[in-house]
Amino acid sequence: MKKSLLKLAFAAVIAVLAVPFAGSRAVAQTRNLTGTVVDKQGNPVIGAAVVVEGTTKGTSTGVDGSFSLDGVKENASLTVSFIGYKTLTTPPLGAKTSITITLEEDTQLLDDVVVIGYGVQRKSDVTGSITSIKEDVFQSRSVENAQQALQGKAPGVQVLSSSAAPGSSPSIRIRGFSSNNSGASEPLYVVDGLKVSDISYLDPSSIESMEILKDGASAAIYGVEAGNGVILITTKKGKKGEGRIFYDFTYGITSLARKADLMNAEQYVAYQTAAGNSQVLTPWDGKTDTDWFDVLYGDNGSFQRHTAGIETANDNGSVYASLSYMDNDGMYYGDKDWMKRITFQLNGDYKIKKWLTFTTNNTIESSRYQKQTDGVGTGNQAINPYGMDPLLPAFYDKDNLPAYMTELIAQQGDDLFMKNGNGDYVAVPFAAKDATSPLTHYYSNTGNHKDFALRGTSSLILTPVKGLTVTSRVGYRLESTNYSFYGEPTYMAVSSRTNLQLEGKTTMNRFYMWENFANYNRTFGKHAISAMVGMAYQYEWSNYTSGSTNGLTNDADNFHHLDYASADATKGVGGKVGESSSISYFGRIGYTFDDRYNIMVNFRADAFDRSKLDKKARWGYFPSVSAGWTISNEPFMRDIDPKSLSFLKLRASYGINGNIRTLSGFPYLSSMNVGEYYPMNGQLITTIYPSDVLANKDLKWETARQVDVGVDARFLNNRLTFGMDFYNKNTVDQLVILTPPLSTGTTSMAKNVGKVNNHGFEFELGWQDQAGEFSYGVNANLATINSEVKKLEGPRILDGIVAFDKGQPMWSYYGWKYLGVDKEDGSAIYYDKDENGTIDDKDKVYLGSAIPDFTYGITLNAAYKGFDLTVFGSGSYGGELMLSAARNTPAANKPSVLWTESWDVMGAKAKYPHPDPIGDKYAGDSSMWLKSGSYFKIKQIQLGYTLPSSITKKIAISRLRVYVSLDNFFCISSYWGMDPEAVSATSAIGMDYGDYPTPKTLTFGANLSF
């Protein structure tokens, strides 16, 4: 079915592309037309594109700005364009045979506005480090969410995704990790003024712009929530004109982009035999050689999105409405890996009076999805292909079971073993008796997720006097999530599930915010001032309820509800209500002199309720200052031709921000626990006792203090752009969980004792040019990062093989250093730190970090006569990754080089030791398993064609563009796992657990406007 759809889509694209070449020649009165294109000073514009409007007929100007066109119809109009100038369409030419056209310089690069907190600012006046991403980045991409489209588009911004499964949500890191708490390094997201915890719900095509506030000064206006940066998203609004009806369609075929290079059956047998572990080979039939990547990811998936909407605007208001349907059917085995989402976007504004405007922006989202990891303690166990050995088939024929399977079935009972639709048995691993086949999880576990949410803002905007704008804005989030899970009784070796498992969970969230702020902007001659002052209140309430049982009156699907729990079943219930509120005061003052000197000062004060900090510490104060010097506007620069140096500006900033994500649940208090029942006076009394947490009322906000220095420059009439930033960010008073003295009778205590420094450079370089009707552009960015823990009270904090320790990058690898192979006996040699001849924990050293040295992205665009081409790539250099899923399980499959380059095969030239997965207890936590995480991916190659309006207007279509795209098809990396891009956003930054990799996608699509 999917192949048929692919052929049909391909045929449709070819047919549409053939239209401009298949028509007949119309007969009309024509003549030859000559002309000249000049700028306002009368200088010739060389290489400008001159096109007869509504056709593909065109030419380019010569060295003297002249052009000539043959066969131009009477009353035709010309469209003239060139980089650095505003595109101009002439009035109908009538019978003219000669014309002079004057182009006006395009100052849009300087006059563009960017969104800042509680206002906007001219791009030329920006004094902080703000990256602005426009709507074209989010168009025509086969991505489920906006975060995925952001990868590689902004320097200093990393998109981390340990799983690319449908319904998963990537994490974003701005200028690195700044907190040692998992999940506490996420930025603040603000959509149309509404604070949200995640932006995955947005239809990417509904985004107008995204501003990323990276430096402390730009983000300071958001105070205690801005310590990890701020991402401001503006959704689309109606544009003036006749009104537009639009429909966008995307369909893609997804498949596994890259396999890990693991051992095949021959290599695996040789490895285990050499290791003296041949007993795991006994049940092998001598023929099976299973490629578990083909088994689990061999079925292609599909992705489709349909978006239809309307937009219009006039002097009194505007409306934008769109309805989007997204269906992501994942590439994983079977049909429990999908997400379906409907999103309705409604944005509008109306001028009630000349001085009063009402605006509203709303998103309604309804989604359903299934995840293959539901019901599994460690989610990646359910889908991990790394641990499965090639000797095990996916299924055993029900009529030809091996002896060990027959024995297990006789011992455990047939009902505990999973079967496919043909009745064949899911093979139980015989090499690793405590392992479970991913197919067992698939057939025994079924989870269902249903989410619904309304998110939006509504505002009244008053303009009582010139320059003054007063805004009263209400924000709201009404969210509900429902989750149900059914697990069949299943044999899982040491962790078998002998009873069914039924769970249900419901969560409701309500968030309200009310903000009132006033902006004042005036210009007096060469002086321009701006001021803003405001206050905000926000309240959040959540209610969580759960229930479970291990027995039902009937096993049929329609009885999989808690109401049908059997009388003798074990039942469980849970739930709690949470509340949080805050109040804030904020302000900003800006001053500009003669478009040369800019200065801006921000201040915010935040206070939360007692769920975060003690009353005496609840207020946090977050100031910032930034300044800019536009050198290109200085009098001494007037003799420099703007066509050589168009713009040059220096800027610097300092700001303090907070991090609220590290605080929740009264961390400064020692709570009371409810314990077991205790008999007293003939009754069972519930016991209450202090928790094992030591109170610390001196806790305070974790804060980030950041310095940023940058330069922005444009050359050659704005065709060449350059930007650079240096940042130095210190996150101080980091919240660390310590172990108190034994005499306290407690086991943990939260304390502000950490400090982390992140610093680095960010570069942006762009080039836009045009040669007649051919235009092209190149945009590249690169960011370096250096991370170091500067302060930590107490011993290093260990989390498996990673550690948080003074003098090291955050969560560095800490283990044994692998030095190579003993040429005599083939054993592994490890660094003996204390030189005592024995390898033990005292010999562990720091082995490196998963944090890359630098990340980068490059985008190439080209267009000619309706055709457009986009090639986009991103990557990172440096940082080590660890294929964690198989390293500590002796019988699990492993990278093939552990055998092909082992001492047994290569002798003295070996890179890896004689196989000894049981006896060598150091290898799994050593640098032997670390590999470079450097990679470069071509994320997109897209070719599109926009049909001429002379054709589309005949069928009442104002614009029709079709395209085909290859997404994530090419990856250059020496990493031995599936996907070097799929890394964790937690303390286990570089751990590869074999989770869902990023698929490659062959995409077809169309954009229509009526």
Side-chain angles (χ1 to χ4, degrees), residues 309-336:
I310 59 172
E311 64 170 331
T312 188
N314 56 34
D315 292 337
N316 290 320
S318 69
V319 64
Y320 175 93
S322 68
L323 181 65
S324 174
Y325 171 74
M326 188 273 295
D327 184 350
N328 188 359
D329 184 2
M331 61 182 175
Y332 191 78
Y333 178 90
D335 58 359
K336 296 181 182 179

Side-chain angles (χ1 to χ4, degrees), residues 315-463:
D315 292 337
N316 290 320
S318 69
V319 64
Y320 175 93
S322 68
L323 181 65
S324 174
Y325 171 74
M326 188 273 295
D327 184 350
N328 188 359
D329 184 2
M331 61 182 175
Y332 191 78
Y333 178 90
D335 58 359
K336 296 181 182 179
D337 170 38
W338 55 269
M339 182 179 193
K340 302 179 190 295
R341 181 177 67 205
I342 296 176
T343 306
F344 178 60
Q345 186 75 40
L346 179 61
N347 297 344
D349 62 82
Y350 187 76
K351 186 176 290 186
I352 302 170
K353 298 287 185 180
K354 289 184 178 181
W355 49 270
L356 179 63
T357 300
F358 173 75
T359 70
T360 187
N361 298 273
N362 299 278
T363 306
I364 299 175
E365 173 215 8
S366 178
S367 62
R368 297 184 298 118
Y369 57 97
Q370 283 189 314
K371 298 166 61 178
Q372 187 49 47
T373 55
D374 285 336
V376 184
T378 303
N380 50 71
Q381 292 177 359
I383 63 174
N384 172 23
Y386 291 161
M388 302 307 297
D389 70 81
L391 310 188
L392 184 73
F395 297 95
Y396 280 121
D397 188 321
K398 60 181 179 294
D399 298 322
N400 189 24
L401 294 175
Y404 85 98
M405 281 288 293
T406 302
E407 181 181 348
L408 282 174
I409 293 171
Q411 292 174 350
Q412 305 293 330
D414 184 75
D415 290 343
L416 291 183
F417 293 84
M418 297 298 103
K419 309 171 189 68
N420 64 12
N422 298 324
D424 296 328
Y425 287 78
V426 173
V428 174
F430 52 77
K433 293 296 185 182
D434 59 342
T436 301
S437 168
L439 296 178
T440 296
H441 290 298
Y442 171 81
Y443 283 100
S444 64
N445 298 332
T446 302
N448 284 285
H449 301 255
K450 296 181 180 180
D451 299 345
F452 180 84
L454 165 64
R455 304 176 179 94
T457 57
S458 295
S459 306
L460 283 175
I461 302 173
L462 293 83
T463 53

Side-chain angles (χ1 to χ4, degrees), residues 300-316:
N300 289 340
S302 65
F303 177 93
Q304 60 178 307
R305 179 164 50 229
H306 306 263
T307 302
I310 59 172
E311 64 170 331
T312 188
N314 56 34
D315 292 337
N316 290 320

Side-chain angles (χ1 to χ4, degrees), residues 513-532:
M513 53 181 279
W514 185 28
E515 298 175 322
N516 297 281
F517 53 96
N519 281 280
Y520 183 73
N521 296 277
R522 286 299 303 269
T523 300
F524 307 93
K526 295 183 179 181
H527 306 274
I529 62 170
S530 63
M532 186 273 295

Side-chain angles (χ1 to χ4, degrees), residues 839-894:
I839 302 299
D840 53 28
D841 285 350
K842 296 179 181 179
D843 296 308
K844 287 184 176 181
V845 295
Y846 285 97
L847 305 173
S849 169
I851 299 174
D853 298 328
F854 61 84
T855 57
Y856 57 96
I858 183 169
T859 303
L860 303 117
N861 297 295
Y864 179 72
K865 288 184 179 292
F867 288 94
D868 60 89
L869 175 69
T870 299
V871 180
F872 162 56
S874 67
S876 72
Y877 178 82
E880 284 77 38
L881 303 180
M882 176 168 281
L883 200 157
S884 179
R887 76 184 202 275
N888 285 321
T889 304
N893 203 357
K894 293 173 174 58

